[in-house]
Amino acid sequence: MTPTPVQFRSEHGDPATWMPADLDSYEVLADIAAYESPLYSPAEMRAIAADHARSALAQQRVADRLAGEGHDIAAGIWRRGAREAREYAAAAREGWLMYEAVINGW
């Protein structure tokens, strides 16, 4: 059975230590490896993006209310949550690969 690129990396360790032949083998494996379908369909990603966008709006409203009441620290926490939700929504609009990268911090 042909190893996947992940299995190849597990067997060969850090790519920085690979010989040129190892790099060539890895590139060939990556080219012939079966494409893994994304975890979510485009329609599901749109729904996820919409959910994050709604969450961002709700969190921003709470932040604005808290700031208006003079609770600056709490408002800042809610603002950060709203900003993160907007980032997730934007990534989800780009599709699963971008969303996965953002939520995993890649």
Side-chain angles (χ1 to χ4, degrees):
M1 183 174 133
T2 304
T4 66
V6 172
Q7 291 167 331
F8 187 88
R9 284 193 308 268
S10 294
E11 286 178 23
H12 290 82
D14 183 6
T17 64
W18 292 356
M19 300 297 292
D22 295 325
L23 292 169
D24 290 342
S25 296
Y26 180 77
E27 288 179 13
V28 169
L29 282 175
D31 286 342
I32 65 172
Y35 174 75
E36 294 181 27
S37 61
L39 185 59
Y40 296 107
S41 71
E44 291 170 318
M45 290 309 304
R46 286 191 296 275
I48 290 169
D51 287 344
H52 282 301
R54 280 190 294 277
S55 176
L57 288 173
Q59 291 181 67
Q60 188 61 54
R61 281 194 295 269
V62 171
D64 293 344
R65 182 178 50 79
L66 289 169
E69 295 172 0
H71 305 290
D72 295 332
I73 294 172
I77 293 168
W78 282 90
R79 275 192 209 102
R80 283 191 298 278
R83 182 175 55 244
E84 183 177 80
R86 284 190 297 273
E87 290 171 6
Y88 287 171
R93 284 187 209 96
E94 296 293 322
W96 167 248
L97 294 176
M98 179 62 76
Y99 184 67
E100 180 185 33
V102 169
I103 63 174
N104 288 315
W106 296 338

